[in-house]
């Protein structure tokens, strides 16, 4: 009897601690407000050694190698009409962590996103975004903050969202000049792409960030290849393996905007 009593006490204590942790994470996420401004580029793998030794045609002020890692992304949408990806919204499970990148759309020349990392915030966003979608007949039910493992079932039950692709990426990350984050990605289906990113704390700093990125990339154009079409991993995957989704994204103008952004020259010279 005592063992059963102790087990119940322990069980309730564990649930309480999980709930407290979940609430703390929720509070942190709601207070954390940041926006990603990023520009993709092609790169020559033979120049990576020059990058890391900082011996390129025009050296950087500082190159710091941060890490090399592998991760797997599973992306979700409604496979009938793709209401997320046709609006440049990217819901994914990266290993065991849920993330939803929502467009800020403050610049026509670069990608700018606000990232949601809490399942409750993601749920609230999806409720609002998909409320007029035929797949959503009612507002979704609540889900505890900490039950990430059950979130997959929750997504399908409430929004009819299911995986449309799984990509494993090998990533090398760098900090350049103590301000620009840069990653070089190679996906498991044979596509490579780089990305320069700045994170800002408010929307009124987004356009300044894109100009700083453009000037930086033009100054070091020996490494950053931006001529022609630069296709990110997801766009490359969808174009190769899901023609229906690609056509839906073309109709919504997402393909045109992402593959043919404003040139770096125009960004630098505009006032």
């Amino acid at each position: 009897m005592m063992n059963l009593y102790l087990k119940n006490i322990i069980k309730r204590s564990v649930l309480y601690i999980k709930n407290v942790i979940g609430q703390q994470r929720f509070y942190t996420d709601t207070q954390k407000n940041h926006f990603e401004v990023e520009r993709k580029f092609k790169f020559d793998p033979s120049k990576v050694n020059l990058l890391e030794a900082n011996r390129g045609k025009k050296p950087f002020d500082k190159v710091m190698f941060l890490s090399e890692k592998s991760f797997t992304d599973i992306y979700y949408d409604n496979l009938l009409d793709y209401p997320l990806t046709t609006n440049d919204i990217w819901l994914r499970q990266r290993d065991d962590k849920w993330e939803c990148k929502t467009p800020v759309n403050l610049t026509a020349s670069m990608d700018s996103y606000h990232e949601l990392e809490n399942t409750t915030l993601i749920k609230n966003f999806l409720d609002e975004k998909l409320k007029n979608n035929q797949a959503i007949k009612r507002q979704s039910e609540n889900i505890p903050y900490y039950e990430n493992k059950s979130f997959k079932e929750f997504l399908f039950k409430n929004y009819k969202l299911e995986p449309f692709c799984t990509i494993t990426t090998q990533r090398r990350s760098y900090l350049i000049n103590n301000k620009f984050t840069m990653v070089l990605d190679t996906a498991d289906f044979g596509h490579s792409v780089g990305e320069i990113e700045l994170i800002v704390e408010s929307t009124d700093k987004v356009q300044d960030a894109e100009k700083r990125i453009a000037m930086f990339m033009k100054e070091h154009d020996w490494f950053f290849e931006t001529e022609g079409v630069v296709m990110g991993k997801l766009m490359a995957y969808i174009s190769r393996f899901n023609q229906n989704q690609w056509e839906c994204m073309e109709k919504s103008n997402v393909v045109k905007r992402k593959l043919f952004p404003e040139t770096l020259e125009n960004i630098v010279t505009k006032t």
Side-chain angles (χ1 to χ4, degrees):
M1 181 67 68
M2 179 61 70
N3 287 340
L4 181 60
Y5 175 78
L6 288 175
K7 285 181 180 179
N8 287 334
I9 291 293
I10 293 171
K11 184 178 180 180
R12 286 197 295 270
S13 298
V14 170
L15 289 174
Y16 173 79
I17 292 170
K18 283 184 175 181
N19 190 44
V20 169
I21 292 173
Q23 290 175 348
Q24 289 174 338
R25 288 176 178 170
F26 176 68
Y27 177 80
T28 300
D29 283 348
T30 55
Q31 298 303 306
K32 180 177 64 176
N33 201 24
H34 68 266
F35 303 89
E36 303 172 351
V37 183
E38 54 195 41
R39 179 87 179 209
K40 292 179 174 56
F41 60 88
K42 294 175 286 187
F43 65 93
D44 182 348
S46 67
K47 294 181 180 179
V48 174
N49 286 338
L50 289 175
L51 163 75
E52 295 185 346
N54 202 12
R55 294 180 179 176
K57 183 178 178 180
K58 181 174 176 55
F60 300 100
D61 293 341
K62 186 175 182 180
V63 177
M64 181 184 298
F65 173 74
L66 298 178
S67 65
E68 181 170 11
K69 62 182 179 180
S70 176
F71 54 86
T72 299
D73 291 321
I74 305 174
Y75 283 86
Y76 290 76
D77 208 336
N78 184 315
L79 306 190
L80 180 64
D81 56 357
Y82 300 99
L84 298 183
T85 53
T86 54
N87 285 284
D88 198 18
I89 298 166
W90 306 97
L91 173 62
R92 69 190 178 202
Q93 185 180 19
R94 173 162 292 179
D95 295 332
D96 293 325
K97 182 180 179 182
W98 289 94
E99 302 169 336
C100 186
K101 298 182 70 169
T102 66
V104 179
N105 291 334
L106 292 179
T107 166
S109 59
M110 297 190 187
D111 290 327
S112 53
Y113 295 99
H114 182 46
E115 189 166 302
L116 305 175
E117 299 178 343
N118 177 282
T119 53
T120 298
L121 296 180
I122 294 172
K123 168 208 169 308
N124 292 341
F125 171 80
L126 293 175
D127 275 342
E128 180 63 27
K129 188 67 183 178
L130 301 177
K131 63 183 179 183
N132 295 322
N133 191 284
Q134 290 300 311
I136 312 302
K137 301 299 183 183
R138 57 178 173 77
Q139 188 178 50
S140 65
E141 61 191 43
N142 288 322
I143 183 170
Y145 308 132
Y146 51 82
E147 289 189 358
N148 281 348
K149 291 184 178 179
S150 64
F151 199 52
K152 177 179 178 180
E153 290 76 16
F154 171 84
L155 291 173
F156 184 76
K157 177 182 177 182
N158 290 278
Y159 315 113
K160 303 303 181 203
L161 301 179
E162 53 188 313
F164 67 83
C165 83
T166 300
I167 300 174
T168 297
T169 299
Q170 193 71 26
R171 167 172 290 181
R172 294 181 69 82
S173 300
Y174 305 83
L175 181 64
I176 310 295
N177 296 356
N178 289 325
K179 63 183 72 172
F180 298 96
T181 300
M182 183 178 77
V183 298
L184 305 179
D185 286 350
T186 302
D188 56 359
F189 62 96
H191 185 76
S192 295
V193 67
E195 188 174 278
I196 284 283
E197 177 185 272
L198 280 175
I199 294 178
V200 296
E201 298 77 29
S202 60
T203 56
D204 59 0
K205 296 181 179 179
V206 168
Q207 291 189 350
D208 176 67
E210 71 165 346
K211 192 165 188 176
R212 290 166 61 195
I213 290 173
M215 293 176 64
F216 172 72
M217 295 179 76
K218 280 182 61 64
E219 185 180 2
H220 300 280
D221 58 2
W222 66 270
F223 187 78
F224 303 110
E225 300 178 19
T226 60
E227 295 298 322
V229 174
V230 181
M231 194 173 288
K233 292 177 295 181
L234 269 173
M235 299 298 286
Y237 183 98
I238 294 169
S239 69
R240 294 187 196 183
F241 305 116
N242 194 329
Q243 190 61 34
N244 180 45
Q245 185 176 10
W246 183 259
E247 290 173 358
C248 289
M249 293 173 67
E250 282 186 317
K251 291 177 182 177
S252 72
N253 211 38
V254 170
V255 170
K256 181 180 179 181
R257 188 177 67 78
K258 292 184 78 67
L259 297 192
F260 302 99
E262 189 174 5
T263 65
L264 297 181
E265 185 65 36
N266 285 348
I267 299 170
V268 170
T269 57
K270 70 181 179 182
T271 56

